[in-house]
Amino acid sequence: MTLVAATPHEKGVNRARTAGDTIMWLVCGLALAALVLPIIWIIGQVIARAIPHFRWSFLTQPTIGNGGGLSQAVLGTLVLMAMVGVIAGVTGVGAGIYLAEYARRRSAILLRGATEVLAGVPSIIVGYVGFTALAIGLKWKFSIWAAAIALTAIVIPYIAKTTELALRGVPGSFREGAEALGMRDILILRRISLRAASSGIITGLIMALAISVGETAPLLYTAFWSVHNPTFGLHNSPVGYLTYPIWTFYNYPVKSATYLATESAFFLVILVGALIIASRLVSRRLSRYMPLGQG
Amino acid sequence: MTTVFAPELEKAPGSNGSPGRPFHMLSLRVARLWGACADRAVPWVTGVFAVVPIAVLVAITVVLFHEALPAIRINGIGFLTRSRWDVGSGYGIPIKVHGVEMAPHTSYGAWPLILGTLESSALALVIAVPISVGAAIIVVEKLPPRLSRWAGICLEVLVGIPSVIYGLWGILTLGPFLSKHLAGIADHVPDVPVLRFFRGPTYGAEGLLVSGVVLGIMIIPIIASTSRDLIRQVPSSAKEGARALGMTDFEVVRKVIWPWTRSGIVGASVLGLGRALGETMAVAMTSGAVLGTTAHSIFSHMNTIAATIVSQLDSAFADGTGFEVKVLAELGLVLIVITLLCNFGAKLLLKRFGASAIAPAAMGN
């Protein structure tokens, strides 16, 4: 290719330039490795600490003091997840629909801004407010509803944002086609927009659930902890959940207590992993409603 | 695709839409009415949902302010600069200052906590930004789509791992690992002004360094996913043009991608910073949780605002006067102000790129 022979100086420069390439890709590769390595290390450690002491009775027995099993905590986490899924799901998806489809420019800026600000509020603040306002102020004491509301406040911005983005990704031609056929707004929303956006919405929803499952700070002072299966009373219904034993028992001098912590971590990792896999499968299945490579 | 374009027009709810049955005029009217109502109702109902975040935000602010007010009046502006944290004598007779009851000899100062919050988050950024940006570049520019999808899954996993598990790993695995391998180096760091901060006993598994590293790993997905999306936005014509001029990969990154994404990557970093500032559980488990002193080396035990609130709130209830609870609310206000300033900054920086200030780690691939 080179028409004029390169001088030795130019050769040196070119070698330096290709060396720059190699170094950059090496550094970037190391960065990627530094991103992946902690994941393997963390999850590997969780599994390595949990497996040797694993008994099935962790899943069938409730916690007794600082020993026993974790059945009520597993159940509590699943119940809280379901409650958050319904409450935050309906509210968040509703808010996302409004922001994407109906909001006028100025109100959209205000509502979207508030959603983003709420997303930035640290979870411990939500926990503190949930505690002082709901448990103390409204005299609910420790309550599963206070816990669900606190978690909802944390994941709503996330669900609303993913819903809004998914709906915005639906091509305008879909809507226009439906309108040309004379469909009502509500039917367009239900049969066209929401269906096409379903992949994004449901992925966001599942990831929000994964986040809510791993929360601790907002639950400590709203759900507190319980060794009994969850009850649904508004007042005085503390509930056990899987993140509590990790925070409370990890440094207990009793073996049975540290086992509770490590097994909880194990169950949480499995649960979060299952949710992530589910979100992947769902998004792959539902993305057929979207055109070429979107969704 | 066929499902989307199925020409499903209005069906009267009364009829089953089978071709043989004609619509009744009445049922058609009912259907029209119902449809019209639904068309009107949906914006209203979803609008109510859309107001929920604002309502929650207002409620949080009002409650926090209401709780904190007595503490703000008593502690004054000096709260931000004082260092002593003394919950006073719980057995003493409560005293009244300006109408607020508190235990005798209390003194609350937030300075070490503010500093600890900033220090640990700064350390987190130092760790997370190079890793995130480097990984984002290689994922967008070099990896085949299949592998880059896996990198996306890795980011989702990093988001999904609960913060207590990060804390558990930090305290049981990373802390001992770092203190074992760095102790030899840390003892030989020269005792001169700046380097002194990296010198000293490693104090076992807890401290600023461990918290910073754990926080750094936790904010990687926020910075990496935002950077990745920004780098993807760089128009390929610019990159192709640069290559046609004979630029190497490194030069393309330095002269095309970097100028294009710079301010956005700064914004992404600030967004990550905002998350690190408010992170609670992982820090509460790995910081060493001291109160009232600032870190004198990178290995020192320390504490942050968020970690203090979570670890002190239950003991605060031992304070019969309830004053410490109010002080924690004041701390919460300080934290929220710092975090929100960060997020607004990030939003301004990211505005040009149309990226959201809600970390979209799990969106797309």
Side-chain angles (χ1 to χ4, degrees):
Chain A
M1 287 293 287
T2 340
L3 296 177
V4 184
T7 63
H9 173 68
E10 279 170 345
K11 268 185 188 163
V13 168
N14 281 339
R15 206 172 299 143
R17 288 170 67 206
T18 39
D21 262 19
T22 320
I23 293 171
M24 182 190 73
W25 289 127
L26 209 66
V27 170
C28 288
L30 282 177
L32 188 62
L35 185 152
V36 177
L37 188 77
I39 300 176
I40 300 168
W41 197 1
I42 292 171
I43 292 177
Q45 276 293 315
V46 166
I47 294 172
R49 284 180 200 281
I51 291 289
H53 311 292
F54 180 80
R55 306 183 310 267
W56 286 105
S57 62
F58 277 116
L59 284 170
T60 54
Q61 271 183 6
T63 310
I64 305 156
N66 52 27
L70 290 161
S71 68
Q72 96 289 5
V74 173
L75 197 64
T77 291
L78 292 176
V79 165
L80 276 174
M81 189 178 93
M83 289 167 80
V84 172
V86 174
I87 303 173
V90 170
T91 320
V93 171
I97 292 174
Y98 186 79
L99 286 174
E101 305 276 327
Y102 303 113
R104 303 239 168 78
R105 237 181 91 77
R106 295 195 39 197
S107 62
I109 290 172
L110 178 69
L111 295 170
R112 207 172 287 135
T115 315
E116 288 182 358
V117 171
L118 185 59
V121 173
S123 62
I124 180 61
I125 305 276
V126 176
Y128 182 97
V129 170
F131 177 64
T132 47
L134 303 177
I136 304 269
L138 296 180
K139 300 195 173 63
W140 288 5
K141 295 185 182 162
F142 295 120
S143 156
I144 194 169
W145 292 99
I149 290 172
L151 287 178
T152 298
I154 286 169
V155 297
I156 275 188
Y158 191 79
I159 301 176
K161 193 82 219 172
T162 40
T163 305
E164 190 195 342
L165 285 180
L167 281 171
R168 276 176 193 283
V170 178
S173 55
F174 279 34
R175 275 193 81 90
E176 285 155 18
E179 265 168 26
L181 288 170
M183 274 175 90
R184 278 200 180 285
D185 287 356
I186 174 104
L187 275 183
I188 296 178
L189 182 66
R190 217 177 68 199
R191 300 243 166 99
I192 309 291
S193 304
L194 279 182
R195 189 170 290 180
S198 58
S199 164
I201 295 175
I202 292 178
T203 316
L205 200 59
I206 295 177
M207 279 310 289
L209 289 183
I211 291 170
S212 78
V213 159
E215 284 289 355
T216 320
L219 295 180
L220 283 172
Y221 298 102
T222 50
F224 190 52
W225 168 247
S226 168
V227 294
H228 303 292
N229 282 340
T231 52
F232 292 92
L234 188 60
H235 298 266
N236 203 9
S237 54
V239 46
Y241 48 92
L242 282 171
T243 45
Y244 180 92
I246 304 177
W247 157 245
T248 313
F249 294 141
Y250 80 91
N251 56 359
Y252 262 46
V254 190
K255 274 269 181 321
S256 65
T258 54
Y259 292 164
L260 285 183
T262 51
E263 298 300 325
S264 296
F266 183 51
F267 294 154
L268 271 177
V269 163
I270 292 177
L271 187 55
V272 169
L275 285 170
I276 289 175
I277 292 171
S279 88
R280 285 274 149 181
L281 292 179
V282 166
S283 96
R284 190 176 301 169
R285 242 190 101 68
L286 290 178
S287 55
R288 70 200 152 109
Y289 293 122
M290 279 294 256
L292 293 172
Q294 295 184 32
Chain B
M1 294 295 284
T2 49
T3 342
V4 172
F5 289 114
E8 300 191 75
L9 299 172
E10 291 167 48
K11 277 184 203 157
S15 80
N16 60 7
S18 59
R21 272 172 66 180
F23 282 125
H24 257 288
M25 280 317 279
L26 186 66
S27 59
L28 193 62
R29 254 191 217 152
V30 168
R32 286 236 174 96
L33 199 62
W34 181 84
C37 285
D39 275 1
R40 293 269 168 75
V42 170
W44 275 99
V45 174
T46 54
V48 169
F49 289 138
V51 175
V52 168
I54 291 192
V56 173
L57 207 56
V58 169
I60 287 175
T61 320
V62 168
V63 169
L64 210 55
F65 218 81
H66 177 254
E67 284 291 314
L69 208 55
I72 296 173
R73 283 216 314 265
I74 303 281
N75 290 332
I77 195 78
F79 182 64
L80 300 177
T81 52
R82 273 199 302 271
S83 290
R84 216 157 79 85
W85 187 279
D86 192 340
V87 298
S89 155
Y91 298 108
I93 299 159
I95 54 168
K96 252 190 179 172
V97 184
H98 301 307
V100 181
E101 233 184 21
M102 65 177 84
H105 311 303
T106 53
S107 163
Y108 293 106
W111 175 242
L113 301 175
I114 297 173
L115 192 65
T117 306
L118 297 178
E119 280 172 340
S120 57
S121 303
L123 193 54
L125 273 191
V126 168
I127 291 162
V129 171
I131 293 181
S132 306
V133 175
I137 290 173
I138 199 171
V139 161
V140 177
E141 296 297 317
K142 199 85 176 171
L143 292 191
R146 215 186 158 74
L147 281 179
S148 71
R149 199 171 305 133
W150 274 101
I153 293 179
C154 283
L155 294 184
E156 279 181 22
V157 173
L158 276 178
V159 171
I161 293 177
S163 104
V164 272
I165 291 186
Y166 280 108
L168 193 71
W169 174 73
I171 190 74
L172 296 183
T173 310
L174 182 69
F177 178 83
L178 287 180
S179 82
K180 189 175 147 204
H181 291 276
L182 292 181
I185 305 169
D187 289 340
H188 297 295
V189 173
D191 193 7
V192 293
V194 177
L195 289 178
R196 192 177 293 154
F197 199 63
F198 300 93
R199 177 189 161 83
T202 50
Y203 296 112
E206 299 161 320
L208 177 56
L209 180 65
V210 184
S211 295
V213 173
V214 170
L215 280 178
I217 296 170
M218 293 179 75
I219 61 173
I220 282 176
I222 298 168
I223 305 176
S225 65
T226 313
S227 310
R228 179 193 59 186
D229 297 346
L230 294 172
I231 294 171
R232 278 199 184 134
Q233 281 182 21
V234 178
S236 52
S237 59
K239 285 188 281 188
E240 283 158 14
R243 289 229 161 78
L245 289 173
M247 284 196 191
T248 60
D249 290 349
F250 179 55
E251 284 159 347
V252 170
V253 167
R254 208 170 51 126
K255 299 207 169 122
V256 179
I257 295 178
W258 177 243
W260 195 280
T261 54
R262 188 171 39 203
S263 70
I265 287 177
V266 173
S269 309
V270 178
L271 197 61
L273 178 66
R275 186 60 56 90
L277 293 168
E279 177 46 49
T280 314
M281 303 312 293
V283 181
M285 291 169 86
T286 56
S287 64
V290 289
L291 285 167
T293 58
T294 52
H296 50 81
S297 90
I298 201 168
F299 305 105
S300 296
H301 289 184
M302 43 76 75
N303 215 336
T304 66
I305 297 176
T308 303
I309 297 176
V310 80
S311 57
Q312 292 296 304
L313 190 53
D314 58 350
S315 64
F317 280 93
D319 178 6
T321 61
F323 186 63
E324 201 188 344
V325 182
K326 310 226 177 305
V327 174
L328 292 179
E330 192 181 1
L331 268 185
L333 272 185
V334 174
L335 176 63
I336 229 174
V337 167
I338 301 176
T339 327
L340 291 189
L341 281 180
C342 248
N343 284 357
F344 278 125
K347 199 171 157 48
L348 284 181
L349 286 163
L350 288 169
K351 202 171 176 185
R352 190 159 66 84
F353 298 93
S356 158
I358 298 175
M363 291 177 200
N365 43 40

